Amino acid sequence: MIVEVGHFALILAFAVACLQSGAVIWSLWSGNDDPRSLTTPAALAQFFLLLLSFLVLVHAYVVSDFSVENVWANSHSAKPLIYKISGSWGNHEGSMLLWVLILGLFGAAVALFGNNLPARLKSSVLGVQGLIGVAFLAFIMTTSNPFVRLSPAPFEGQGLNPILQDPALAFHPPLLYTGYVGFSMAFSFAIAALIEGHIGAAWARWVRPWTLAAWMFLTIGIAIGSWWAYYELGWGGWWFWDPVENASFMPWLAGTALLHSAVVMEKRDALKVWTILLAIITFALSLMGTFLVRSGVLTSVHSFATDPARGVFILAIIALFTGGAFTLFAWRAPLLRQGARFAPISREGSLVFNNFVLMIVCAAVLIGTLYPLALDALTGDKISVGPPYFNAVFVPLALALLAVMPFGPFLPWKRGSLADTAKRLRVPALLAAAAFVITLVLEPNGSLLAALGMAIGVWLMSGALAETAFRLKAFAAPWAEVRRRASNLPRASYGAMIAHFGLGVVVLGIVATSSWRAERILSMQPGQTIPFAGYELTFGKLASREGPNYRETFGNFELRKNGKLVTLLSPSKRQYVAPPTATTEAAIHASWAGDFYLVIGETGQSKTSSLAVRLYFHPLVRLIWIGAFIMFLGGALSLSDRRLRVGAPRRRAVSPAPPATAGRAS
Amino acid sequence: MTRKQRRSLFIGGGLAVLGLSAFLILSALNDSIVFFYSPTDVAQKHVQTGQRFRLGGLVSDGSFKRLNDTDVEFEIGDGNRALKVTYSGLLPDLFREGQGVVAEGALDPSGRFIADTVLAKHDENYMPREVAESLKKQGVWQGANAQPKQAAR
């Protein structure tokens, strides 16, 4: 009965979404009054219906109601509670329901907090959001309904794939989807602006918080996914350039570009058409990400149960929304008046360069991801494009972008001088040079590229700090003046500094772990000790134990440094009961210098008591995820800037201003 | 600088970077794509020794041999032909005789495939897509366990 309530709520949400978008389309068509008296309550109702529907699904998982096919196929009564809950979005149907729930959440957020928006714009935004909801709810109801019942109800479920039974994977999809779906806000605002036919700094100020929020969650979502792959898959890598990873990385690149071009638009009223285009592209890439993951057209290390009908449906949704958006763009974009001019060497110029390179990188990733698909369709040849391609293209482009990145925030708007900026970047340049030399001295066998990479990491971090120091006149003005400036500097400025600093941290981690990773595969006898990466590893013996829903064989290892016991490691092979699957669990000892990573091979196969082990040492690998978290925090700080929350000063009356919150000019 | 000069500087610089990137992308693609072959393809296409490719098929029954703790030997077959593969390293959890597998590496002069990567999938029922297609071509695989979920409906 409860399940049917959820099912009906889902259908009702679809009807409400139809009404919400239909009302806006009708009012545009007929030129009638603004339909805001309908769209706002509709957006709220849609959200609450979807929330109800989602909670019903979670409830079915918690009580293990195997009469629901989705629960039967993806859950098991012996599963720990947290994985029963996270299992509800650990599968296709449930994750799509989560997708529309987050869409509904964003719609409701606009309905509730969008009072400072012009009424017309707000309605149009909600109308486009409603339309996306219609498409995806239709998709769920026709191809991926999570509420389908089974009769008679099976006694026990089939269980969740054990590698998905993991705390990081419990949080990864909601965060990633908040990122993907968050870009739908930028898209809806872009479409609404095209319909309105004019756009300005105020528009950029409304869009920026949504884009920033989406970007933050996508950043942390990708980072958690990479962390999970690192410790759970047991391959010792953190990024594989796998299609599924690329699918989330492309919207991130485009979203990062959008975030920066929106700054230009907000401050200088320039790059309007480009920003609109980026908003459309970013959401199109988010949709494509959903398609690539869900349709299974590409061979991926992450396999999901796939179904061609779903792929075709999502492809139709992509064609409809991007096709429609680009048509509207071609028709209406010429109406948008271009804004202020600027010199190539200026803040605007640096942000254009940022956008340009980010989009080239994005295109390169797109080509590498889709090329196998295109070649298969055209010639029937089956190929794979692997890490060598992505590294060959990504590394030089990323280095070029990162090398000039610290200049950007120092350059003034409109026109600047490279010489002046270079003077202000003396200290970071010295630090970077020092990092370069120190790396070469410490690692004489390391490549020049690795030393350059470390130098760029330091360059980014110190460049970000130097920029804030310059704004505060630290070391130049009296203390009181610095303090006054520190409290006057907007939070968005601190946020940008922290995010740029975080990127430098990520770069250090990536360069160190890719350049100086040590790996060894060998066979160990019980009692044997081997030296590796400055540690001594001793293998004790194999033992086994029972977990809540698995049985595992684990090796007892002692890790010592200079004869002193550091920690005990117990990497294992697990055999899960439902579904009957074997997994490898790595044992990791984390330290500031790097991770000691240990995996064992097949147990009980060889006739002797020896054991195959694989050892890795990943120097500074934690910095990758710490840096991503710093970037997330930078975004959060920027989002808390009250200028973004309060909204833009109302310079021109677009429509009779609603008598809601008074926007304070800043 | 006049407006016109400035604009041509923008456009010229942009085109130069774009051209450079296109060159980078194309040359990287040229160097690093890896073809997927079944054992039958390998025999028909006379693949050169040392050329990297992906070999896919089923691990032949009874072919798996453990040379020592880290080195293994097995055959990948497609019902028509089979190729001997050696691999040094830890095998993925789902590696099993009779199951689909994709290995990446190159042929040595004796015609043996030296794999440096063996890919397996997360899912018990999963068949690598290329393997499934090449097996269908050879008429071996009927898609028996392709959609186990649908059976319940």
Side-chain angles (χ1 to χ4, degrees):
Chain A
M1 181 59 204
I2 296 179
V3 173
E4 273 62 44
V5 170
H7 198 166
F8 289 145
L10 186 70
I11 297 169
L12 214 53
F14 174 72
V16 171
C18 288
L19 195 66
Q20 181 182 334
S21 51
V24 174
I25 293 169
W26 170 248
S27 85
L28 284 174
W29 183 264
S30 61
N32 267 355
D33 281 356
D34 174 68
R36 71 165 173 273
S37 55
L38 190 89
T39 48
T40 302
L44 292 174
Q46 193 192 339
F47 170 65
F48 285 113
L49 287 167
L50 288 170
L51 185 64
L52 177 65
S53 181
F54 186 73
L55 289 178
V56 164
L57 184 66
V58 172
H59 177 260
Y61 267 88
V62 170
V63 301
S64 293
D65 182 353
F66 297 125
S67 71
V68 179
E69 187 190 336
N70 187 252
V71 179
W72 165 76
N74 297 294
S75 196
H76 189 277
S77 57
K79 207 164 58 168
L81 181 64
I82 174 176
Y83 302 130
K84 283 185 185 167
I85 297 172
S86 74
S88 57
W89 60 76
N91 60 85
H92 171 77
E93 290 83 356
S95 77
M96 290 318 295
L97 188 57
L98 179 68
W99 205 102
V100 288
L101 174 66
I102 295 172
L103 186 74
L105 177 66
F106 276 102
V110 177
L112 276 184
F113 307 118
N115 290 331
N116 57 348
L117 296 175
R120 190 86 234 177
L121 183 72
K122 184 178 166 187
S123 292
S124 302
V125 167
L126 287 177
V128 181
Q129 285 279 309
L131 210 55
I132 301 170
V134 169
F136 274 89
L137 284 167
F139 171 68
I140 291 178
M141 291 191 305
T142 53
T143 70
S144 345
N145 193 334
F147 296 111
V148 173
R149 291 275 205 170
L150 289 174
S151 176
F155 182 66
E156 188 55 276
Q158 295 196 319
L160 178 69
N161 188 340
I163 65 160
L164 301 180
Q165 298 187 26
D166 184 274
L169 249 269
F171 299 110
H172 170 63
L175 291 170
L176 198 68
Y177 280 8
T178 308
Y180 274 172
V181 180
F183 287 128
S184 73
M185 294 302 304
F187 177 81
S188 298
F189 270 94
I191 298 301
L194 286 173
I195 294 170
E196 301 270 305
H198 80 90
I199 182 176
W203 181 90
R205 202 168 278 201
W206 289 317
V207 172
R208 216 146 73 86
W210 301 109
T211 311
L212 188 58
W215 176 87
M216 276 164 57
F217 285 109
L218 193 57
T219 306
I220 203 75
I222 293 174
I224 288 184
S226 130
W227 185 47
W228 168 80
Y230 168 74
Y231 71 76
E232 180 67 31
L233 297 185
W235 302 341
W238 54 275
W239 190 261
F240 304 99
W241 291 111
D242 182 80
V244 170
E245 293 168 348
N246 294 346
S248 63
F249 191 45
M250 287 184 280
W252 187 87
L253 289 168
T256 308
L258 175 63
L259 209 53
H260 289 89
S261 80
V263 175
V264 178
M265 191 158 143
E266 180 186 338
K267 300 283 199 265
R268 298 287 305 149
D269 211 22
L271 299 186
K272 292 179 185 177
V273 175
W274 172 242
T275 305
I276 292 271
L277 187 63
L278 265 185
I280 296 172
I281 290 176
T282 306
F283 185 58
L285 289 170
S286 298
L287 286 180
M288 202 185 70
T290 310
F291 167 71
L292 290 180
V293 175
R294 292 291 153 209
S295 67
V297 291
L298 290 169
T299 308
S300 155
V301 292
H302 310 269
S303 75
F304 297 89
T306 55
D307 176 351
R310 289 173 185 162
V312 172
F313 202 120
I314 302 183
L315 208 55
I317 294 180
I318 296 178
L320 191 75
F321 278 96
T322 47
F326 282 127
T327 311
L328 194 65
F329 179 78
W331 173 38
R332 304 285 284 187
L335 290 178
L336 305 177
R337 202 170 35 85
Q338 272 300 4
R341 292 174 207 296
F342 51 86
I345 304 294
S346 63
R347 181 83 69 86
E348 295 95 317
S350 73
L351 289 169
V352 167
F353 182 76
N354 150 306
N355 273 222
F356 192 59
V357 179
L358 281 175
M359 291 321 285
I360 290 175
V361 173
C362 189
V365 175
L366 183 70
I367 290 170
T369 309
L370 295 186
Y371 187 62
L373 210 58
L375 202 69
D376 188 9
L378 293 176
T379 66
D381 279 343
K382 303 239 178 297
I383 61 154
S384 66
V385 175
Y389 163 79
F390 292 103
N391 290 336
V393 178
F394 183 76
V395 171
L397 287 170
L399 284 181
L401 179 62
L402 298 178
V404 299
M405 199 176 114
F407 282 92
F410 274 102
L411 286 167
W413 296 103
K414 273 186 98 168
R415 185 180 295 112
S417 145
L418 270 188
D420 287 353
T421 310
K423 229 180 278 167
R424 286 170 194 151
L425 278 166
R426 262 179 320 198
V427 178
L430 274 175
L431 288 174
F436 185 80
V437 173
I438 291 171
T439 312
L440 281 184
V441 170
L442 286 181
E443 294 283 340
N445 305 324
S447 69
L448 279 179
L449 189 67
L452 186 68
M454 296 305 275
I456 283 194
V458 172
W459 170 238
L460 290 183
M461 288 161 65
S462 53
L465 293 176
E467 193 250 335
T468 301
F470 169 70
R471 302 244 171 267
L472 300 184
K473 291 213 166 148
F475 314 114
W479 177 233
E481 157 103 13
V482 175
R483 270 185 48 186
R484 188 184 58 75
R485 282 173 169 269
S487 60
N488 283 350
L489 196 66
R491 285 196 199 165
S493 183
Y494 286 114
M497 182 265 280
I498 292 171
H500 286 174
F501 183 87
L503 183 61
V505 175
V506 174
V507 169
L508 280 187
I510 292 176
V511 172
T513 194
S514 342
S515 309
W516 297 294
R517 182 174 93 150
E519 180 183 356
R520 209 171 144 192
I521 300 172
L522 77 164
S523 157
M524 285 182 88
Q525 300 289 338
Q528 190 188 351
T529 301
I530 52 136
F532 182 73
Y535 289 92
E536 300 98 46
L537 182 73
T538 309
F539 172 39
K541 61 175 180 21
L542 279 177
S544 41
R545 63 182 164 213
E546 297 281 340
N549 51 350
Y550 59 83
R551 182 177 174 74
E552 70 177 355
T553 309
F554 63 98
N556 279 306
F557 289 86
E558 286 176 359
L559 189 67
R560 288 166 203 277
K561 191 155 202 171
N562 303 323
K564 251 178 60 191
L565 184 69
V566 179
T567 185
L568 298 173
L569 294 173
S570 47
S572 68
K573 286 276 180 194
R574 279 186 190 169
Q575 181 61 46
Y576 278 80
V577 184
T581 309
T583 66
T584 304
E585 302 292 318
I588 302 173
H589 169 65
S591 71
W592 282 110
D595 281 14
F596 190 98
Y597 189 111
L598 175 63
V599 199
I600 57 173
E602 288 283 310
T603 54
Q605 289 245 336
S606 59
K607 289 159 199 77
T608 60
S609 51
S610 66
L611 179 68
V613 295
R614 184 176 224 162
L615 306 160
Y616 295 99
F617 188 73
H618 297 285
L620 303 184
V621 69
R622 303 262 141 177
L623 291 186
I624 297 173
W625 304 297
I626 293 173
F629 189 64
I630 295 175
M631 289 166 83
F632 176 83
L633 290 181
L637 187 66
S638 187
L639 201 59
S640 72
D641 194 321
R642 71 184 311 274
R643 290 181 313 163
L644 285 178
R645 272 180 296 138
V646 173
R650 259 181 228 102
R651 254 172 295 169
R652 51 179 109 78
V654 177
S655 61
T661 50
R664 202 193 75 170
S666 51
Chain B
M1 216 178 338
T2 64
R3 241 173 69 193
K4 213 169 176 186
Q5 279 173 325
R6 187 180 290 170
R7 190 182 298 164
S8 17
L9 193 72
F10 263 122
I11 294 174
L15 284 181
V17 177
L18 212 57
L20 199 68
S21 326
F23 171 75
L24 206 62
I25 291 172
L26 290 179
S27 66
L29 261 189
N30 221 5
D31 293 343
S32 56
I33 58 170
V34 178
F35 279 85
F36 176 94
Y37 297 130
S38 66
T40 311
D41 293 334
V42 174
Q44 284 168 355
K45 295 191 178 173
H46 306 291
V47 178
Q48 297 284 310
T49 301
Q51 187 202 327
R52 279 184 73 79
F53 64 97
R54 282 188 172 187
L55 178 69
L58 300 177
V59 181
S60 310
D61 279 327
S63 71
F64 182 78
K65 247 193 293 181
R66 195 169 276 280
L67 304 175
N68 56 48
D69 271 321
T70 52
D71 298 334
V72 294
E73 192 181 86
F74 54 93
E75 274 180 16
I76 293 183
D78 57 10
N80 192 0
R81 276 169 188 277
L83 202 62
K84 195 158 266 186
V85 179
T86 61
Y87 172 67
S88 174
L90 304 190
L91 287 168
D93 295 322
L94 298 177
F95 182 89
R96 214 142 300 158
E97 287 184 353
Q99 291 266 353
V101 68
V102 175
E104 191 169 322
L107 292 176
D108 75 353
S110 70
R112 184 197 296 259
F113 188 75
I114 311 293
D116 51 34
T117 319
V118 173
L119 301 177
K121 300 290 165 173
H122 298 173
D123 188 340
E124 283 278 287
N125 299 318
Y126 190 79
M127 175 69 74
R129 199 172 55 92
E130 292 94 341
V131 174
E133 278 180 29
S134 85
L135 289 180
K136 269 183 210 156
K137 245 192 278 175
Q138 310 295 336
V140 176
W141 186 52
Q142 315 298 332
N145 53 6
Q147 292 289 336
K149 273 190 192 178
Q150 304 299 321
R153 228 171 250 182

